[in-house]
Amino acid sequence: MSNLMDMHKDDDCLIGLFLSGDESGFDMLVKKYQDYVANVAYSLLGQGHSRHTDDIAQDVFISVYKNLRSFKKESKFSTWLYRITVNVTYNYLKRASRYVSYDEAGINDVPATASDPGRSRAEQQLVRQAIESLPFKHRTVIVLKEIEGLPYKEIASILKCSIGTVESRLFRARCILKARLSHLIKKEGCV
Amino acid sequence: MRCPKVKRLLSRYSDGELKGCPASEAIEQHLKACSGCRAELGSMLSAKNLVSSQERIKLKDGFLGRLKDRLRPQPEIVRLRWVLDAGDLARRIIPVPAFFIAVVMILLFGQLRKTQELPGGDIDILNIYADPIAAFEADYF
């Protein structure tokens, strides 16, 4: 995340390059942010839809491509990008919940992961299921805070809500996670 | 500071969002003396650790190429765009006259049922075959 913070200084140059008609500016933005976008989408999608991560990431960048001219620079580009990612993922899940059952995904289609070698696959699955069981707005705050490591102020800016709202959603989400992962937490405490 | 207030602020405290605030020092003082809140903080940090060590994914190679393919206008779709646009326009416009036509039809139909006069007298044309005598009179007189 600290890399992301350092890199955002160049974003204005890349946006300027794209707006002046040079597509390489957009290409560089994609290369720079594609994994951040994919990780947020992957964490928000849950196991049932994780195979659509690539499509969601593409949708996000298509939206960026179409709307970059109307980006007013009131916030950082990364904040704007995270907001688009959250919205695109939310819209996808809303549409999918009407037509697709959550258990239809094939585990083989899940994107390649770089998991913590100290943690077993089963534990990772349990944590992922616990995150997935959270309501979307709580899940979003947890993902942006714990996985992306963003400060409260930026999360509030992404979700267009107050810092107090972010705080209360995080508090509630953590209470739920603590209850659902109590056995893993005990184990963690013993290590 | 008392336990309920400390527990409410622990989430912010563990995220480092209280740095420099007087509340931060008060919480630290409280934690030294209260084992319950210490345990609460420990379990919160464990939960944070579990979530933050979640697997991170890497997109398959060639993401930019796949994205560019989607951004490139498809020739066939461009050629057929007017059909799609016309279809979309029709979908938007057709319901309005269809609704009015349906309303007019219903009104006319109701009026017809009320006032339909046949050579045999005031016989309801729609129910004519429900009454065999009326049907006979309508056909022969």
Side-chain angles (χ1 to χ4, degrees), chain A residues 120-134:
Chain A
S120 76
R121 181 90 191 152
E123 280 183 10
Q124 292 268 0
Q125 293 276 353
L126 280 172
V127 176
R128 201 156 152 69
Q129 276 170 8
I131 297 171
E132 196 180 330
S133 69
L134 295 170

Side-chain angles (χ1 to χ4, degrees), chain A residues 54 152 167 174 178 188, chain B residues 11-12 15 40 49 66:
Chain A
D54 199 282
Y152 284 18
E167 192 189 341
R174 281 175 178 157
K178 265 197 303 181
E188 182 98 349
Chain B
S11 185
R12 277 184 78 176
D15 287 330
E40 183 79 18
N49 190 29
R66 293 194 294 281

Side-chain angles (χ1 to χ4, degrees), chain A residues 20-34:
Chain A
S20 66
D22 188 344
E23 293 264 326
S24 67
F26 177 74
D27 296 356
M28 281 187 264
L29 281 173
V30 173
K31 281 180 185 162
K32 188 170 160 183
Y33 288 107
Q34 63 182 46

Side-chain angles (χ1 to χ4, degrees), chain A residues 136-150:
Chain A
F136 189 82
K137 57 185 180 182
H138 293 103
R139 200 187 320 162
T140 310
V141 177
I142 276 285
V143 167
L144 294 175
K145 179 69 212 164
E146 306 293 19
I147 297 177
E148 294 304 305
L150 302 179

Side-chain angles (χ1 to χ4, degrees), chain B residues 19-38:
Chain B
K19 270 180 192 160
C21 292
S24 178
E25 283 175 26
I27 289 171
E28 275 164 23
Q29 289 297 323
H30 181 90
L31 287 172
K32 279 177 191 165
C34 178
S35 59
C37 288
R38 263 204 314 275

